[in-house]
Amino acid sequence: MKNVQVFDKPMCCSTGVCGTEIDPVLPRFAADLEWLKTQGYRVQRFNLAQEPAPFGENQEVLNLITTRGTTCLPLIVVDGRIVSQATYPTREQLTALVGGSALEIATVRSGASCCGNSGCC
């Protein structure tokens, strides 16, 4: 099982989906992370404002923040390697970043199950 870690910029809550002006990307991304979990990935999400310790514990993350500041956030880390920075990837991009199969990507695009309506699974 792959480990996916998200190092978020400082936000008022763990997902950033609060307040009066919600960035529409954040609820979509939260849903996409939940979807990744259903695909068997281990997902952890850290908010700099609420959970600063993991930022200091990951040397690559700490180096980036030290040299670039928080403009590099969010960082997506897969199995200890930074694969994305400064943007929230789409579900299709997340699938590619975690090394998902063509079948997973096709499922993401179509919104259909891997078996269609045949019930073969």
Side-chain angles (χ1 to χ4, degrees):
M1 170 182 2
K2 290 194 177 190
N3 186 34
V4 178
Q5 296 177 307
V6 179
F7 292 85
D8 278 308
K9 58 189 169 190
M11 296 186 284
C12 59
C13 63
S14 62
T15 61
V17 184
C18 54
T20 57
E21 293 184 35
I22 298 172
D23 180 348
V25 170
L26 294 173
R28 180 211 29 98
F29 185 70
D32 292 345
L33 290 179
E34 288 301 315
W35 175 82
L36 266 185
K37 290 178 186 177
T38 69
Q39 302 304 303
Y41 295 94
R42 181 170 181 240
V43 177
Q44 297 174 291
R45 192 169 185 185
F46 309 109
N47 177 334
L48 184 57
Q50 297 178 356
E51 301 170 283
F55 289 78
E57 294 165 359
N58 184 309
Q59 193 59 50
E60 282 189 75
V61 169
L62 183 59
N63 289 344
L64 262 178
I65 292 174
T66 301
T67 58
R68 294 193 48 215
T70 59
T71 61
C72 65
L73 300 176
L75 295 171
I76 311 298
V77 178
V78 177
D79 291 338
R81 187 174 66 88
I82 296 173
V83 297
S84 175
Q85 50 184 294
T87 188
Y88 288 102
T90 64
R91 185 175 295 190
E92 185 173 78
Q93 291 167 331
L94 273 173
T95 303
L97 291 171
V98 299
S101 69
L103 179 58
E104 286 175 321
I105 294 170
T107 301
V108 171
R109 282 192 189 126
S110 69
S113 78
C114 63
C115 300
N117 294 326
S118 69
C120 65
C121 299

